[in-house]
Amino acid sequence: MEEIGPIQEFIVEIDTPIGNQRFYRFDLNYINVKDLKSIIPVTFKYDLLITIPNTNSFVMLLSPEKKKLLEQYLKLIDKSGDVAYVKLKYIKAENLKKNLPPSISQDDIIETGDPSIVFVKGSPQKLDNFYKELAVLDQPVPQVRYDLLVIQFQEGETINWNQNLTDNVFTVSKITDHEEGAFLGSIGKLISLNFDVVSNFGYQFALQLNYDLTEDRAKILADTSLNGLSGEEIKFQNTTTVRFREYETDPNTGNLRQTGVVREIVSGLIINVKGWVSGHGMITMDVEATVSRLGTGASTDTTREPTTFEKVLKTHVRTPSGTPIAIGGLITEENGTTISKIPILADIPLLGYLFQTKKETLDRSEFVIYIVPHVEYLEREEVSLNNRMERLYNKFF
């Protein structure tokens, strides 16, 4: 007794109620206590639950109010026959309640703490009809992959989009290593792109684009793949943020003073795409593209709100999976001034204007967006860069 005496005293000291909580025992009749943790409501997720060995019972540390709530919940679900335990594969319980099958009503579904598990009340015949309807509803939502390419073309540079694919296919009796290297070299700027330009638009278009990129007549602004579920909106954003201090006029002195507020203006390219899969592999998309830029002097003058220019394009298109679409019309213009002058002489007051030239320029560019939507399947073969180059070469040569 002398050895366990201190232990007993220690237990007495710590075995005291926690606030107004205490341990309550609950006995289950039909539900297995091992499954309870996965179906208990979120309200009880962080309460201590201890299963009693060799029984179908458990104890929980609860307040009297939460004990009453748990008793009401167990009374609803711990039944035989007319309540079925249903494990959802792809949809959530909230989605099931929003799109109820004809055989059941809202009152027939009991949600649990797990969004993939529900209890359904009903007769055996009613439950049998529900299972058949659920098999149709509980299907994976198709996933859409968007291959996105955005190019900025300078003024005067146009490309013929109406290329005939047959014009890009050549017949060669024997292909040498030198010719294969020449093919890869002719599209060298495009090899590293994620977007498959050759397969989508043809060899001649790829050659022209490669030339424009080499000569700085075109610039790649975006080359990526975006993934989203059917009906889900995805967003691509490539922008810069300018911060400026807000000023106000002092009514006493007439001078500008800081208000303590710092504002932000975002400019650049923003693309929102919402697509959904319909029958026969068709993909319908709502596309909204915004191109904006700051006015001259926005990056240097932080005492006033900079001017901005913005172009917005919205379109609604439908295309088969794997078929590209091109969206243009986002044209921006920017005026610039270039001054060339002779040192020293150009700085002489008044006479200095005779030793300098001033040139007004107008930079005009167009943003073209290319999107290739694909219906994604659970298993998609990954193609290496070497295999991709070999496939393209075999296709066009």
Side-chain angles (χ1 to χ4, degrees):
M1 290 294 294
E2 293 181 358
E3 294 180 356
I4 66 172
I7 298 177
Q8 288 178 327
E9 293 177 4
F10 175 73
I11 293 175
V12 170
E13 288 293 328
I14 65 172
D15 189 20
T16 57
I18 303 174
N20 65 338
Q21 295 181 323
R22 56 168 292 185
F23 281 100
Y24 295 96
R25 172 169 175 159
F26 300 90
D27 300 311
L28 301 176
N29 298 315
Y30 303 100
I31 300 175
N32 192 322
V33 69
K34 295 180 180 179
D35 299 328
L36 187 63
K37 286 186 178 181
S38 63
I39 61 176
I40 199 165
V42 179
T43 309
F44 304 95
K45 276 291 184 181
Y46 300 102
D47 293 311
L48 181 61
L49 185 153
I50 303 173
T51 58
I52 302 176
N54 303 320
T55 68
N56 199 34
S57 305
F58 66 96
V59 294
M60 284 192 75
L61 182 63
L62 300 170
S63 64
E65 295 79 10
K66 296 189 76 172
K67 170 183 177 287
K68 185 176 180 180
L69 290 175
L70 184 58
E71 287 176 337
Q72 293 174 350
Y73 177 72
L74 294 177
K75 185 177 180 181
L76 287 173
I77 65 173
D78 191 25
K79 297 180 179 180
S80 65
D82 60 343
V83 176
Y85 166 93
V86 178
K87 176 73 174 179
L88 302 174
K89 296 180 180 179
Y90 304 104
I91 62 175
K92 295 180 179 180
E94 58 180 336
N95 301 125
L96 178 62
K97 296 193 74 172
K98 290 179 181 178
N99 303 278
L100 285 174
S103 60
I104 61 173
S105 64
Q106 292 277 358
D107 297 334
D108 296 329
I109 295 181
I110 304 171
E111 293 187 68
T112 68
D114 189 334
S116 64
I117 297 176
V118 295
F119 286 93
V120 181
K121 298 184 295 183
S123 64
Q125 180 63 39
K126 186 176 183 178
L127 292 174
D128 185 59
N129 293 334
F130 168 73
Y131 290 137
K132 293 177 181 178
E133 295 163 349
L134 182 63
V136 177
L137 294 176
D138 194 14
Q139 296 293 328
V141 177
Q143 180 169 296
V144 183
R145 185 183 89 248
Y146 305 90
D147 291 337
L148 178 67
L149 181 70
V150 181
I151 305 177
Q152 180 181 359
F153 292 103
Q154 299 302 321
E155 181 185 14
E157 299 304 319
T158 58
I159 294 179
N160 181 14
W161 307 109
N162 299 318
Q163 296 288 350
N164 190 336
L165 186 60
T166 58
D167 295 337
N168 302 322
V169 180
F170 305 90
T171 302
V172 182
S173 57
K174 183 179 180 180
I175 303 301
T176 65
D177 293 338
H178 172 73
E179 290 170 327
E180 183 173 354
F183 165 73
L184 297 179
S186 65
I187 58 170
K189 291 281 187 178
L190 310 181
I191 291 177
S192 60
L193 293 181
N194 172 71
F195 194 94
D196 195 342
V197 176
V198 178
S199 295
N200 287 312
F201 297 114
Y203 181 52
Q204 290 185 6
F205 172 76
L207 286 176
Q208 178 66 55
L209 179 58
N210 187 83
Y211 175 76
D212 289 338
L213 292 172
T214 304
E215 297 296 320
D216 293 329
R217 297 175 180 175
K219 181 181 179 182
I220 303 294
L221 297 183
D223 171 41
T224 186
S225 290
L226 306 173
N227 294 279
L229 298 179
S230 177
E232 181 181 57
E233 182 176 80
I234 59 172
K235 181 178 183 179
F236 172 83
Q237 182 169 342
N238 183 5
T239 58
T240 57
T241 302
V242 173
R243 296 174 177 85
F244 66 94
R245 295 184 294 271
E246 187 179 79
Y247 283 75
E248 65 180 4
T249 302
D250 190 322
N252 298 321
T253 64
N255 297 325
L256 290 178
R257 67 180 182 185
Q258 294 187 25
T259 63
V261 177
V262 177
R263 298 191 180 277
E264 295 182 347
I265 291 183
V266 178
S267 63
L269 175 67
I270 300 176
I271 301 174
N272 293 292
V273 182
K274 183 177 182 180
W276 55 93
V277 180
S278 55
H280 306 290
M282 299 294 291
I283 301 175
T284 304
M285 294 179 289
D286 286 327
V287 182
E288 179 177 345
T290 303
V291 175
S292 59
R293 65 177 179 83
L294 298 177
T296 305
S299 60
T300 58
D301 189 354
T302 60
T303 63
R304 62 179 181 179
E305 183 176 353
T307 57
T308 58
F309 304 89
E310 182 177 272
K311 294 290 183 68
V312 179
L313 182 148
K314 296 182 181 181
T315 185
H316 182 79
V317 294
R318 180 180 292 111
T319 183
S321 175
T323 302
I325 62 168
I327 302 173
L330 291 168
I331 300 173
T332 62
E333 295 181 347
E334 185 172 0
N335 295 315
T337 303
T338 303
I339 300 177
S340 301
K341 59 184 181 178
I342 300 175
I344 301 177
L345 296 177
D347 296 329
I348 300 175
L350 299 178
L351 293 178
Y353 290 105
L354 300 175
F355 301 97
Q356 60 180 260
T357 58
K358 185 177 181 181
K359 184 180 179 181
E360 299 287 342
T361 60
L362 176 63
D363 295 328
R364 186 174 184 270
S365 59
E366 179 179 8
F367 296 83
V368 182
I369 302 169
Y370 307 98
I371 302 177
V372 185
H374 301 268
V375 179
E376 283 281 82
Y377 298 97
L378 295 180
E379 297 181 359
R380 182 169 61 90
E381 180 183 0
E382 295 293 338
V383 182
S384 67
L385 179 60
N386 291 335
N387 291 338
R388 178 184 171 193
M389 289 297 101
E390 182 179 357
R391 174 173 56 80
L392 292 176
Y393 183 76
N394 292 334
K395 177 177 180 179
F396 293 101
F397 287 87

